[in-house]
Amino acid sequence: MITRFAPSPTGPLHLGHAYSAMLAHDMAMAANGTFLLRIEDIDSSRARPAWETQIYDDLMWLGLRWPEPVMRQSERQAVYQDRLVTLWKKGILYPCSCNRKDLLSAASAPQEGAPLVGPDGLIYPGTCRHLHDRSGPFPSAAVLRLDMEAVDLALAKSVGDVVLARRDMGTSYHLSVVIDDAAQGVTDVVRGADLLDATPIHTLLQNLLGLPTPRYHHHDLIRDENGKRLAKRDDARALSKYRTEGATPNDIRRLVGLPEQ
Ligand code: GLU
């Protein structure tokens, strides 16, 4: 069994991340398997080296260990581009030149009623879907969407044409996570219920790219005393804060309802 924890270094880890990481770690250890850490830093406008360092410190403090070197998505642009070219050659991607304003105004046009929102945000109204020749060379600097109607009618309705290559990134969360879970041989993905709706998008991409589908385990989210789920900006529950206040890793395990070690 291979599990992984795949944080983005865009803020401090909080109790919810600790829960996810420890669950994935404990599951691998119980099966005599391997727990991996992967840094999901494709968004260079938000990722910071200092947050990445703090991720290593926090997880080490929790008692988690993982093989080195750690996979960092910012170093894998060539792999993502290669798989995008594969999808492009199938004729199921198209370049999109809509900006945020275009999307909002198209989605709220009077005859359309309220904007339709799916798990990936606004459901794309399809403005650019048939504007471009798909048989030309791969458009490497473009925003690329997946033509969902061509591959999955149910997801076309509920999610729409997801972006697989974001502006200035050459990839997206959905594409990178699927490619890297397969590249690392991850057998069991352990992650929060907030990503439940992303899983059908991931299994679709695995099918399109000929990659295996791991087992998915979605855990409950850790909530604050008001029942609100913790967000990156909730510094109040940052792991480092508990650490500097003298808590122990077993205190954190108790707080999130995991057996002590
Ligand atoms: N990198 C994602 C995040 O920070 C998690 C990816 C996943 O577990 O699939 O929320």
Side-chain angles (χ1 to χ4, degrees):
M1 176 185 290
I2 301 180
T3 66
R4 52 69 165 178
F5 178 56
S8 300
T10 56
L13 297 186
H14 55 55
L15 279 184
H17 296 106
Y19 181 51
S20 216
M22 291 188 293
L23 265 182
H25 172 267
D26 291 2
M27 189 187 271
M29 294 306 111
N32 231 342
T34 306
F35 166 77
L36 299 175
L37 174 64
R38 181 172 70 233
I39 300 295
E40 302 216 320
D41 56 350
I42 55 172
D43 188 347
S44 58
S45 70
R46 294 175 62 223
R48 296 280 175 276
W51 294 129
E52 185 174 330
T53 306
Q54 194 170 315
I55 288 172
Y56 300 133
D57 292 349
D58 284 344
L59 296 179
M60 293 281 275
W61 172 72
L62 282 176
L64 311 192
R65 298 293 181 267
W66 52 86
E68 299 280 351
V70 166
M71 182 181 276
R72 299 172 73 242
Q73 291 189 323
S74 55
E75 294 164 0
R76 291 175 52 74
Q77 293 302 333
V79 181
Y80 305 141
Q81 163 126 356
D82 187 66
R83 304 325 293 261
L84 280 171
V85 172
T86 304
L87 297 175
W88 173 258
K89 286 186 179 152
K90 289 177 187 276
I92 55 178
L93 301 185
Y94 63 88
C96 176
S97 49
C98 293
N99 58 32
R100 244 189 117 63
K101 225 174 97 221
D102 297 335
L103 295 184
L104 284 170
S105 56
S108 60
Q111 68 273 25
E112 307 280 349
L116 282 173
V117 179
D120 224 47
L122 280 179
I123 293 181
Y124 183 60
T127 322
C128 292
R129 191 180 295 136
H130 298 296
L131 288 187
H132 301 272
D133 174 14
R134 298 188 192 175
S135 59
F138 177 73
S140 47
V143 171
L144 294 173
R145 288 185 183 272
L146 176 63
D147 181 350
M148 215 45 119
E149 281 179 6
V151 291
D152 190 308
L153 287 179
L155 286 180
K157 277 217 177 68
S158 60
V159 183
D161 294 354
V162 288
V163 171
L164 292 189
R166 288 175 57 185
R167 199 179 304 282
D168 305 325
M169 272 184 225
T171 186
S172 58
Y173 160 63
H174 296 308
L175 185 77
S176 302
V177 80
V178 157
I179 291 174
D180 292 343
D181 281 336
Q184 296 192 289
V186 171
T187 60
D188 292 75
V189 171
V190 179
R191 60 188 183 189
D194 53 333
L195 288 170
L196 199 54
D197 290 334
T199 301
I201 303 172
H202 297 172
T203 50
L204 170 69
L205 289 176
Q206 285 146 5
N207 292 339
L208 291 171
L209 291 167
L211 303 172
T213 293
R215 280 181 293 270
Y216 285 98
H217 312 263
H218 291 97
H219 59 74
D220 288 346
L221 300 177
I222 302 291
R223 294 176 186 277
D224 66 14
E225 56 282 355
N226 301 316
K228 210 170 108 299
R229 61 178 262 224
L230 303 183
K232 278 247 163 78
R233 53 193 173 279
D234 286 335
D235 288 5
R237 282 166 192 79
L239 271 182
S240 52
K241 186 151 185 285
Y242 287 96
R243 177 150 54 110
T244 49
E245 284 172 358
T248 66
N250 269 332
D251 291 335
I252 304 294
R253 284 184 173 268
R254 265 195 306 278
L255 273 173
V256 298
L258 280 174
E260 294 180 30
Q261 281 194 341

